Amino acid sequence: MAPKHSEDFKRDAVRIATHSGLTRRQVASDLGVGFSTLGKWMRDYSTDPTAAEDAELRRENERLRKENRILREEREVLKKAAILFASQKQ
């Protein structure tokens, strides 16, 4: 039995998913394949070295956003504490 999709089709699907700007869900729908199928093809056929870098940058960005949020919260607590201590001295 022949495979349902050719290797070229799978590679093209991966190229579209990684470079079109569309979501993977949209690309999968447009091509008539399952979302998880497209994900598997992306793992199997992705030769784009920047894809791993992009994922790493997204993780780093998320970590920095979380750290920034925590620092902002700590700063607010310290501001309130400073106001409290200043009012107690008077």
Side-chain angles (χ1 to χ4, degrees), residues 26-38:
Q26 182 63 48
V27 171
S29 174
D30 290 349
L31 295 175
V33 299
F35 179 71
S36 60
T37 300
L38 180 60

Side-chain angles (χ1 to χ4, degrees), residues 1-89:
M1 179 177 192
K4 186 173 182 177
H5 300 289
S6 70
E7 298 298 312
D8 286 337
F9 179 86
K10 294 174 184 179
R11 284 189 182 88
D12 286 343
V14 169
R15 182 185 49 77
I16 292 167
T18 56
H19 294 96
S20 69
L22 298 171
T23 64
R24 280 195 288 161
R25 192 166 302 282
Q26 182 63 48
V27 171
S29 174
D30 290 349
L31 295 175
V33 299
F35 179 71
S36 60
T37 300
L38 180 60
K40 180 182 181 316
W41 294 349
M42 289 182 73
R43 286 188 304 277
D44 293 345
Y45 293 96
S46 182
T47 59
D48 186 1
T50 61
E53 292 174 16
D54 288 347
E56 186 176 331
L57 287 174
R58 282 192 301 274
R59 284 191 300 273
E60 177 71 4
N61 193 22
E62 181 60 32
R63 185 189 68 76
L64 291 171
R65 286 179 190 273
K66 181 179 179 182
E67 182 180 339
N68 193 15
R69 187 183 74 249
I70 291 168
L71 291 172
R72 286 176 190 262
E73 290 171 0
E74 288 174 351
R75 183 185 69 195
E76 290 302 314
V77 168
L78 290 173
K79 278 185 188 179
K80 291 176 183 176
I83 291 170
L84 179 66
F85 290 135
S87 68
Q88 287 178 352
K89 282 189 171 182

